[in-house]
């Protein structure tokens, strides 16, 4: 959900259809609702509704289509253009949508994206974002919301979408536990599981609440970049696009640097795993063999 031109179809086409950001300017306005079924993980199918944001459509979602639009919602993602000149109208529609959710899908999670952050000067971004967060939290009243600053031109989009999708994966915690055991078996600093087509992060071996703060061992010892997950998603996605331009298919990646070794390889039919090892004694071939042997367990 979100006003016309706020960037909903652009982010959908980048994450779920692997289109580059440069092509999003050619997208036309969405007419009514565009539904996509994305097979995400095995039997987990995301039913994605991209609701065109022109006023006439919004009015219809809130009246005649109300029960269709707001029933059985797992997550509502409301996109706000950070530079909008019509914030009060946006907020009015947003509050109406929250009411729709309260009526038909009480349990739904709500994510708010303050989008097109690239349009704000870098030095002002943090302050502008904080102001928006305060404004949006106030408008949300009692509803608990998560707010992310996003742009299609950097990795921020992947961070937001990974956490959105995470709330929809029923066994994400269990997966993290198994990844921790696998990381230990590989003497790895960290193991990250990505969804195959979107390259969104599904689970990591590091506890999620400490992934940004370096407080967990062994991640702490190596001062890993807090943006490493979403950066990897973004980089691999554009590398895959380059591969497909050359009519090649991306299969796996090995990096052997002075400080660490990293292997990115298929884990299951729907996932890729990234194993990062700082121990120089561990050979890449051994990591690959461990991945091969763990496949059946994770399938
Ligand atoms: P409706 O379909 O009418 O509801 O609009 P929408 O929300 O789907 O907007 P759309 O995705 O079509 O994007 C509108 C314009 O915003 C396009 O020209 C995009 O290239 C541009 N855009 C999308 N995301 C970003 C962003 O992060 N930064 C900047 N600068 N432009 C963006």
């Amino acid at each position: 959900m979100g006003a016309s031109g706020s960037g909903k179809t652009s982010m959908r086409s980048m994450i779920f259809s692997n289109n580059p950001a440069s092509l999003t300017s050619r997208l036309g306005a969405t007419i009514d609702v565009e539904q996509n079924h994305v097979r995400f993980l095995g039997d987990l199918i995301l039913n994605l509704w991209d609701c065109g944001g022109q006023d006439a459509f919004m009015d219809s979602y809130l009246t005649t289509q109300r029960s269709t639009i707001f029933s059985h919602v797992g997550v509502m993602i409301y996109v706000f253009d950070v530079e909008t000149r019509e914030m009060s109208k946006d907020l009015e529609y947003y509050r109406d949508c929250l009411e729709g959710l309260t009526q038909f899908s009480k349990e739904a999670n709500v994510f708010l994206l303050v989008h097109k952050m690239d349009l704000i000067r870098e030095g002002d971004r943090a302050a502008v974002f904080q102001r928006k967060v305060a404004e949006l939290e106030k408008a949300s009243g009692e509803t608990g919301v998560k707010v992310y600053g996003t742009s299609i031109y950097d990795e921020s989009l992947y961070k937001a979408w990974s956490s959105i999708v995470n709330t929809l994966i029923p066994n994400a915690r269990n997966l993290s536990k198994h990844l921790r055991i696998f990381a230990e078996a590989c003497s790895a600093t960290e193991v990250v599981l990505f969804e195959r087509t979107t390259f969104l992060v599904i689970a990591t071996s590091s506890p999620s609440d400490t992934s940004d703060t370096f407080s967990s061992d062994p991640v702490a010892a190596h001062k890993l970049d807090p943006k490493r997950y979403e950066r990897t998603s973004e980089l691999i996605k554009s590398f895959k696009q380059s591969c497909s331009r050359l009519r090649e298919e991306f299969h796996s990646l090995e990096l052997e640097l002075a400080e660490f070794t990293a292997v990115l390889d298929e884990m299951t039919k729907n996932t890729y795993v990234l194993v990062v090892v700082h121990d120089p004694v561990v050979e890449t071939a051994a990591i690959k063999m461990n991945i091969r042997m763990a496949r059946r367990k994770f399938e």
Side-chain angles (χ1 to χ4, degrees):
M1 284 285 185
S4 182
S6 57
K8 303 176 295 295
T9 309
S10 303
M11 55 178 80
R12 174 167 65 93
S13 80
M14 282 187 63
I15 292 191
F16 295 98
S17 310
N18 296 331
N19 286 327
S22 55
L23 290 188
T24 59
S25 55
R26 298 188 196 166
L27 293 168
T30 305
I31 306 301
D32 205 46
V33 182
E34 269 179 29
Q35 289 190 36
N36 277 66
H37 291 93
V38 189
R39 183 172 280 280
F40 195 73
L41 261 181
D43 294 336
L44 182 66
I45 295 174
L46 280 188
N47 187 1
L48 213 74
W49 291 30
D50 178 358
C51 303
Q54 290 175 36
D55 290 359
F57 300 134
M58 289 300 282
D59 293 335
S60 145
Y61 307 146
L62 292 162
T63 53
T64 47
Q65 298 189 71
R66 193 175 177 87
S67 68
T68 315
I69 296 285
F70 294 103
S71 296
H72 311 294
V73 176
V75 172
M76 177 172 83
I77 304 147
Y78 208 103
V79 183
F80 294 90
D81 180 336
V82 68
E83 288 216 311
T84 181
R85 299 218 173 115
E86 300 191 301
M87 193 60 180
S88 44
K89 188 174 88 181
D90 284 5
L91 287 178
E92 208 170 300
Y93 275 132
Y94 166 59
R95 279 191 218 99
D96 290 342
C97 288
L98 279 186
E99 268 175 35
L101 276 190
T102 313
Q103 191 179 352
F104 292 101
S105 300
K106 266 203 177 60
E107 304 296 316
N109 286 310
V110 179
F111 285 86
L112 308 180
L113 306 186
V114 179
H115 192 52
K116 305 192 186 179
M117 287 300 289
D118 57 283
L119 298 176
I120 307 293
R121 250 187 342 157
E122 212 170 334
D124 298 336
R125 269 181 214 163
V128 169
F129 180 64
Q130 280 317 318
R131 257 204 319 276
K132 286 280 177 191
V133 170
E135 193 177 9
L136 292 173
E137 282 180 346
K138 190 167 162 220
S140 307
E142 302 280 286
T143 314
V145 294
K146 288 209 179 90
V147 191
Y148 289 90
T150 51
S151 161
I152 57 170
Y153 296 108
D154 63 32
E155 69 284 342
S156 56
L157 197 61
Y158 290 93
K159 184 182 173 77
W161 274 89
S162 287
S163 26
I164 291 169
V165 163
N166 245 273
T167 60
L168 297 168
I169 299 175
N171 58 349
R173 255 166 201 269
N174 212 12
L175 271 172
S176 289
K177 198 179 83 191
H178 289 294
L179 287 181
R180 269 197 292 284
I181 297 169
F182 181 61
E184 223 167 278
C186 297
S187 303
T189 312
E190 189 170 46
V191 172
V192 188
L193 199 65
F194 296 92
E195 196 278 331
R196 189 188 183 97
T197 30
T198 59
F199 252 85
L200 294 174
V201 176
I202 294 170
T204 75
S205 60
S206 312
S208 58
D209 51 345
T210 57
S211 61
D212 281 348
T213 59
F214 304 146
S215 61
S216 73
D217 199 53
V219 172
H222 299 288
K223 291 203 165 24
L224 300 186
D225 187 332
K227 291 187 176 172
R228 61 195 178 279
Y229 304 137
E230 52 269 29
R231 283 223 171 118
T232 309
S233 300
E234 193 199 11
L235 284 171
I236 299 296
K237 281 285 277 252
S238 41
F239 184 59
K240 277 175 78 179
Q241 275 157 16
S242 309
C243 290
S244 68
R245 274 200 293 278
L246 296 171
R247 296 184 196 286
E248 291 289 344
E249 210 183 312
F250 172 82
H251 287 293
S252 64
L253 199 77
E254 290 168 33
L255 276 180
E256 281 188 55
L257 303 174
E259 321 83 271
F260 69 89
T261 305
V263 174
L264 179 69
D265 205 348
E266 288 173 30
M267 183 58 127
T268 66
K269 240 179 18 246
N270 301 298
T271 59
Y272 267 84
V273 71
L274 173 68
V275 182
V276 180
V277 178
H278 282 78
D279 183 346
V281 172
V282 178
E283 297 282 343
T284 315
I287 303 174
K288 293 190 80 163
M289 190 179 77
N290 275 347
I291 295 176
R292 220 170 34 244
M293 293 197 318
R295 270 186 194 133
R296 212 156 45 93
K297 172 96 182 147
F298 280 86
E299 193 61 74

